Amino acid sequence: MHRPLILDGAMGTMIQSAGLKLGEKPEIFALKNPDAVMEIQKEYIKAGSDVLYSNTFGANRHKMQDTGYDVPTLIRENIDIAKKAAQGKKVALDIGPIGELMAPLGTLSFDEAYDIFKEMIVAGRDAGADLVVFETFTDLYEVKAGVLAAKENSNLPVWVTMSFEQDGRTFTGTTVECMATTLDALGVDAMGINCSLGPKEIYPLIERMAKCTTKPLIAKPNAGLPDPATGTYFITPKDFADQMKDYLDLGIMAMGGCCGTTPAFIRELSKTAEEGTKERAKPKEIGCVCSSSKLVIFDKINIIGEKINPTGRKSLKEALLSHDMDFVMNLAIAQADGGADILDINVGVPGIDESKMMKEVVQAVQSVVSLPLMIDSSDAKAIETGLRYANGKVIVNSVNANDSKLKEILPIAAKYGAAVVGLAMDRGIPSSVKERMDHAAKIRDKALEAGIRKCDIIIDCLTLTISAQQDQAIMTLEAVHKVKTEMGLHTTLGVSNIAFGLPEKTHATAAFLISALHAGLDLPIVNPNSQSIADAISSYRAISGEDKDCQAYISRFAEKKEEKVQVITQNQGMDIETAILKGLGSETEKATEELLKTMDPMDVINTKLIPALDIVGDKYEKHELFLPQLINSANAAGKGFDLIKKRLPKKSGSSKGKIIIATVEGDIHDIGKNIVKVVLENYGYDVIDLGKDVPVQTVVQRTIEEDAHLVALSALMTTTVESMKRTIEALRQSGHVCKVVVGGAVLTKEYAKMIGADYYAKDPKESADTARKVLG
Amino acid sequence: MEARLSDIPQDEVLRYLGYRGQSIDDNLRKQLENCIRAVKDCTKARLTYRILPVKDSMIEGLVLEGRDIKALLEGCTKAIAMAATLGPEAEALLRRTEVTNMADAVIMDSAQSTAIENVCDNFESDMRLEFGKQGLYLTDRYSPGYGDLPLLSQKAIAELLVAEKRIGLTVTDNMIMIPRKSVTCIIGISDSPRTLKRRGCDSCSARENCFFRAQGSVCNA
């Protein structure tokens, strides 16, 4: 039994009654009225607080812009005030959310967030703060940037508390479990929950958190739930303190109050704390990874999707080289839909800046799927980049038993708290079970030494192809079994290797997969979109009992039967024009296939696809079709184009020219831009999409780099048409010869002319017309 | 008052899509239904509000520019300031669908616009009912961007409501609300009955460049 630390209560409400005006910033108020703020903090010390949070919650560069005050000064002065009030008790540098949402939801980048936090932390460290507290966060990615900034720029202890809704998720979807897993991995010194809810509502959430981490816990609840109409809180200090008693049984490290609490609350809380806490029940360590919203525990078969790996995949290689993230994102979504639990990310293409590419791909993938990631590279720098920019806790793939490799990779994995795949090999390929076991044991020992938990160590016993080394397959299976049962480690295998070089690979792959699962493979790396692989795993889950009462198996195959029936009824031939008009992708594909038997591919494009799209455009103009129909048709035609592109030799001129497209700086509305992009692509243009909120200089630079002669700009707000104008001016000044077409809700033909655009397109059809005028 | 999404009527969704009676085949009908269902299933609407005193047609603690809001609040004793959002879940659905199927994304975008309107409508009618019981009357719902109430007011309303902390809503320097499917509004509370006008083109700031008006129709918002 020992007394938990007592934190302070609310600052906001107290400072308002001390004279803070509406809209005035508390951090600045303190500079003008240091005594008023010190008085509040002294009251908290008198009430029993062991730790004071400095009045620096919003003292960041973003919130303080245009105030005339700089961050270092605000932090130094406010820490000074707190230190004087603390009378020897601890002072925490308090850091709240930046106040701008991070990409992809908002526009704030991870690196910018890091810099903003770094400025605060350096100032707090220099001003003599005893620790750093991040509180009231709802975005785990923002927290990650903050924690890294704190750990990389100071030696101070780091505490993090986030705010949840009653269902245990933050506004951005982070669960209590994902928060705990991620922050535990990042090595914070304590974590917990503050604000948003009262003690009663937070308790079950803290209970959940306690099961996912061995780190000390913090609770700083509001004074119950406020009256929504007035925002006032009702519970008394005594009730609050009574409700906090349960937290003592959990073995809480520190507790205090948030919105609505006052020194009276803290006084009562201090009395409650005298009872002392129980010993914390330490949770069992379980191997796991997570994204910001999805936790994957290694207690069953988890499928790792293999498809984001350019080795042997020409189209992905090309997509990476041309930064075509749509292609990559589609691979990610398809695998997630196919049942992958984790996604492997490998961007190793010769001649590429792998580290830079890793960042781009990781951020693109996690913007569209919520699966945890496995960072797959042999380059230490690319691995570290992947670990840094991945949200959540990831797996590193891989190290091997080679000393220099272990020395290079393990500290990086340990820094970010990643799980690690160890290849059971040194320089050469092992030829026996024992060799594999020896390597595995060495990797385990070194990983444990580096501070990686045993449950986060995953051994890859190496799949070698049976067409070359037939004797090895059985050894691999035996090694998997032994690593699992004798060493108690998790196992992974790149299953698909087994049948490399053989015809009809899926049969051998599925058979090997099932054998390996039975031997103890729990993290198979496979193609989840392969029917036979997915069927095999589903079947094995039913056989092993993991799929209770075969429910998943039944629903999977019962649904399949229905689909088959539908396919048969729809399988009627259709001419290409009708198929495109109706917006039917697979019918268009079939019709294209049929035409290609007798026609030249370019002729199919020019005499079939484009004319069909023209009819669609015409009907759209006459209001015979409306927007979804236009896009469905464009998508259908796109299927035909894709098929033809595959048949045409590269650079045969199937592209009708390059177009740069972007939503201008400051604007984040990109649906209109994306519609235009789909339509233009499906007219056969090579569209280079720069995304949204694109800086003026980026548009200019990429236009010149790509030697594009048509630039399409989109803006939805009157407030951002100004940056459209600046973008056009900069393009003109660069001297690069190009036409500019603009579009967006607030634009008109006259407006477009006024800002210097060459063309105005009121809809996607007009964009395509403009492209034809300019590029042919 | 919880945020309540009760219905996403298909005809409203079609209206946002610029539909003008084109024939809709079974495939498209199914596509519409699926997209609307996806939006319903993934949306987690949130709202926060405050009831504030009004003096001389001005809300205490909230500076709002323009004559129109003053006219709205004339004779009111109190006012409701509200912010609602469909949340990041809705935005993530759209982001993902834009990658896989743009036509679906366009339909979902319209479905989400319909959904946030529905949430606001429900809030308004719930409030009307509640204050009606106390013998009080509500004005129309008025949002920044209507009439001469500047978009800038979005920030003031959001800050007053601490919307970032309460519902995860922020307003950028360019007055864009994130998550994008969000609304801020003011409703006046009065002791005497108010003439409600159906909000029409006359009070809409988008009337000059309106897509619907250009086609000779109205959006019915």
Side-chain angles (χ1 to χ4, degrees), chain A residues 348-360:
Chain A
V349 175
I352 214 170
D353 181 339
E354 200 180 331
S355 175
K356 239 170 133 183
M357 195 76 239
M358 183 63 87
K359 177 178 171 185
E360 191 176 346

Side-chain angles (χ1 to χ4, degrees), chain B residues 142-178:
Chain B
Y142 216 77
S143 286
Y146 291 0
D148 68 353
L149 182 61
L151 272 184
L152 200 72
S153 322
Q154 277 176 357
K155 208 163 200 161
I157 298 174
E159 274 174 15
L160 175 92
L161 294 172
V162 207
E164 184 191 349
K165 209 158 154 183
R166 300 215 193 286
I167 60 170
L169 169 67
T170 63
V171 183
T172 70
D173 295 338
N174 287 313
M175 293 304 132
I176 297 169
M177 289 194 277
I178 305 178

Side-chain angles (χ1 to χ4, degrees), chain B:
Chain B
M1 201 73 52
E2 291 279 307
R4 203 152 59 73
L5 171 62
S6 55
D7 190 22
I8 304 179
Q10 202 182 82
D11 52 347
E12 282 296 312
V13 178
L14 284 169
R15 210 191 306 273
Y16 276 108
L17 286 167
Y19 177 67
R20 295 178 62 187
Q22 291 89 345
S23 86
I24 292 179
D25 65 13
D26 284 351
N27 283 326
L28 183 56
R29 179 72 60 195
K30 203 178 262 168
Q31 188 179 14
L32 285 163
E33 283 165 9
N34 288 342
C35 291
I36 290 173
R37 189 174 326 115
V39 167
K40 248 187 223 162
D41 289 349
C42 100
T43 296
K44 198 171 152 197
R46 304 174 178 92
L47 68 78
T48 184
Y49 70 97
R50 278 292 181 81
I51 293 163
L52 303 155
V54 172
K55 238 185 214 163
D56 302 331
S57 307
M58 302 218 288
I59 299 175
E60 277 184 23
L62 181 64
V63 181
L64 296 174
E65 285 171 34
R67 278 165 308 179
D68 294 343
I69 188 73
K70 283 216 178 84
L72 182 89
L73 295 176
E74 205 185 315
C76 290
T77 51
K78 281 186 259 181
I80 306 165
M82 190 272 274
T85 179
L86 291 192
E89 297 86 355
E91 199 144 331
L93 173 72
L94 212 55
R95 193 161 53 234
R96 181 178 165 136
T97 313
E98 279 181 36
V99 175
T100 54
N101 188 329
M102 198 63 220
D104 284 354
V106 164
I107 297 169
M108 287 181 190
D109 185 61
S110 294
Q112 291 182 350
S113 298
T114 311
I116 188 71
E117 278 302 309
N118 178 262
V119 169
C120 293
D121 286 346
N122 287 336
F123 172 78
E124 190 181 329
S125 59
D126 289 350
M127 280 293 173
R128 216 172 273 290
L129 201 70
E130 193 168 306
F131 283 96
K133 284 185 208 153
Q134 306 168 33
L136 296 171
Y137 302 87
L138 299 192
T139 66
D140 281 313
R141 185 167 92 228
Y142 216 77
S143 286
Y146 291 0
D148 68 353
L149 182 61
L151 272 184
L152 200 72
S153 322
Q154 277 176 357
K155 208 163 200 161
I157 298 174
E159 274 174 15
L160 175 92
L161 294 172
V162 207
E164 184 191 349
K165 209 158 154 183
R166 300 215 193 286
I167 60 170
L169 169 67
T170 63
V171 183
T172 70
D173 295 338
N174 287 313
M175 293 304 132
I176 297 169
M177 289 194 277
I178 305 178
R180 280 176 278 175
K181 299 296 180 191
S182 300
V183 166
T184 57
C185 70
I186 300 289
I187 306 173
I189 304 173
S190 158
D191 296 330
S192 53
R194 307 289 301 208
T195 342
L196 299 181
K197 350 176 208 196
R198 178 89 205 150
R199 288 183 307 278
C201 303
D202 290 343
S203 63
C204 179
S205 65
R207 62 186 177 276
E208 294 305 327
N209 300 310
C210 176
F211 164 73
F212 296 101
R213 282 167 62 91
Q215 295 190 343
S217 96
V218 289
C219 72
N220 216 14

